[in-house]
Amino acid sequence: MREHGGNLDLAQQHFGGRAEDWIDLSTGINRLPYPVGEVSARAWSALPSRAEIEGLHRAAQHAYRTRAPLVALGGAQAAIQLLPHLAPPGRARIIAPTYNEYAGVLSAAGWEVQEVGELGALEGADLAIIVNPNNPDGRCHSPKDLLALLPRVGRFVIDESFADTVPQLSLASEADRPGLLVLRSFGKFYGLAGLRLGFAIGHAADIDRLDAMSGPWPVSGAAIAIGCRALRDDDWAEATSARLARDCVRLDEMAQAQGWRLLGGTALFRLYGTPDALAVQEKLARGHIWSRVFAQKPTWLRLGLPGSEAEWMRLAEVLAR
């Protein structure tokens, strides 16, 4: 398995404790999740109907402000797994450093993969991929610049897994253009990663192929029920975006007090430069707080945002030791 956050089992092996003893800040998942509420017995016991899946699609179009065709999948990761099969293997270029599943999945499917550092270097690729905002450094590209590049690549995939709080960056409303494919994650912003729900938004031809490859029941009845409810809850989304913005400031101030340098991030995670990220990770882990480090960047430390006030207080106490 490639290096990822969320590997709490590794933390437990080295530092003990039960999963419920830990505050997992190694991911970019909202720790104050959407209130699920009641889920009907039918959602658990019956196969989802096509009408129910289409209802989820309409809710996603509402949340992502688009009329473009889309398909619900088992998380954005499910779309990444299908991506290599939309076309015969060719040249793929990815703006890096970024989420490492793209390079791994494409290479395993026979694609020639090149990681590049600038937007212009994507030109000429059969498949171009950019995460916007980027994980882990939060780097952003304007919709105007991305659309200008679209005619100069074969297919352009924009991963907007962390775009919920910055809708002005999204190309979801333009995704019906041939060659453009936008991926969205439900679980991160809504804090329900275990539900395994995401969406691919794009031209009808690509969406039809992804739909066919994903099979007749790509998401569960519970995911449909909860997704429909959450994606139409504009008040919750607005309040959550505002809270996350405040919490970013709070976490940045705590990091600054430690002498760390802000390198970037999004509303769901922050990336800091530290003298020794592994040493910081160990210090936090001894207080049962898990963080993300990067093998190739020994000074980089990524932290998600604590949720409850008790989590914030515990983080402050551990940092003060």
Side-chain angles (χ1 to χ4, degrees):
M1 187 175 183
R2 282 175 279 273
E3 181 186 75
H4 293 295
N7 53 343
L8 200 56
D9 51 350
L10 179 64
Q12 290 175 258
Q13 289 172 18
H14 284 81
F15 301 99
R18 303 165 301 167
E20 54 267 33
D21 298 328
W22 284 80
I23 301 172
D24 188 1
L25 303 185
S26 69
T27 75
I29 298 167
N30 181 2
R31 288 192 61 82
L32 291 178
Y34 184 81
V36 170
E38 292 290 328
V39 178
S40 71
R42 186 186 183 285
W44 296 108
S45 61
L47 287 171
S49 70
R50 196 66 212 177
E52 289 167 334
I53 294 173
E54 290 300 330
L56 176 61
H57 289 170
R58 290 191 295 273
Q61 287 173 321
H62 168 83
Y64 303 138
R65 307 177 189 184
T66 184
R67 295 183 178 180
L70 55 75
V71 60
L73 298 163
Q77 182 64 44
I80 295 170
Q81 299 295 139
L82 297 176
L83 188 59
H85 309 294
L86 280 175
R91 295 168 301 168
R93 291 180 187 154
I94 305 168
I95 295 283
T98 194
Y99 184 55
N100 60 23
E101 284 294 321
Y102 282 103
V105 167
L106 287 163
S107 295
W111 284 75
E112 175 191 333
V113 178
Q114 181 184 9
E115 294 187 339
V116 300
E118 299 298 331
L119 197 60
L122 296 174
E123 186 171 341
D126 300 306
L127 175 62
I129 297 170
I130 187 167
V131 180
N132 193 44
N134 190 42
N135 174 16
D137 58 13
R139 183 180 180 187
C140 296
H141 296 272
S142 74
K144 180 181 178 181
D145 290 343
L146 296 176
L147 287 176
L149 187 62
L150 179 59
R152 303 198 290 274
V153 299
R155 178 177 281 105
F156 201 177
V157 175
I158 315 293
D159 184 329
E160 296 182 353
S161 289
F162 292 99
D164 293 78
T165 63
V166 282
Q168 68 274 15
L169 283 182
S170 178
L171 279 176
S173 63
E174 304 287 340
D176 56 354
R177 299 184 183 215
L180 181 60
L181 189 66
V182 173
L183 306 185
R184 298 295 295 241
S185 167
F186 174 86
K188 294 179 177 65
F189 177 69
Y190 291 93
L192 298 170
L195 202 64
R196 306 311 305 135
L197 179 61
F199 300 89
I201 314 169
H203 189 264
D206 281 346
I207 297 304
D208 287 347
R209 293 189 65 190
L210 288 171
D211 191 11
M213 285 191 286
S214 66
W217 305 290
V219 294
S220 69
I224 293 170
I226 296 167
C228 282
R229 192 179 305 158
L231 289 163
R232 291 192 178 277
D233 195 337
D234 298 337
D235 291 342
W236 184 90
E238 182 178 351
T240 296
S241 294
R243 173 186 59 82
L244 290 170
R246 295 191 300 270
D247 286 352
C248 284
V249 174
R250 184 177 183 180
L251 187 58
D252 289 347
E253 289 174 348
M254 294 173 70
Q256 185 179 22
Q258 295 292 312
W260 305 344
R261 182 166 60 96
L262 178 65
L263 301 179
T266 72
L268 287 167
F269 64 82
R270 315 302 281 168
L271 181 68
Y272 300 111
T274 71
D276 184 343
L278 276 174
V280 176
Q281 185 185 53
E282 180 174 348
K283 174 181 178 177
L284 293 171
R286 293 195 182 283
H288 286 168
I289 298 172
W290 195 229
S291 56
R292 174 77 192 275
V293 295
F294 300 84
Q296 303 304 315
K297 299 286 185 177
T299 64
W300 282 15
L301 179 81
R302 197 188 71 184
L303 283 178
L305 277 62
S308 67
E309 187 60 26
E311 291 187 353
W312 282 99
M313 294 302 296
R314 187 156 131 205
L315 177 60
E317 290 167 3
V318 172
L319 288 174
R321 292 175 186 171

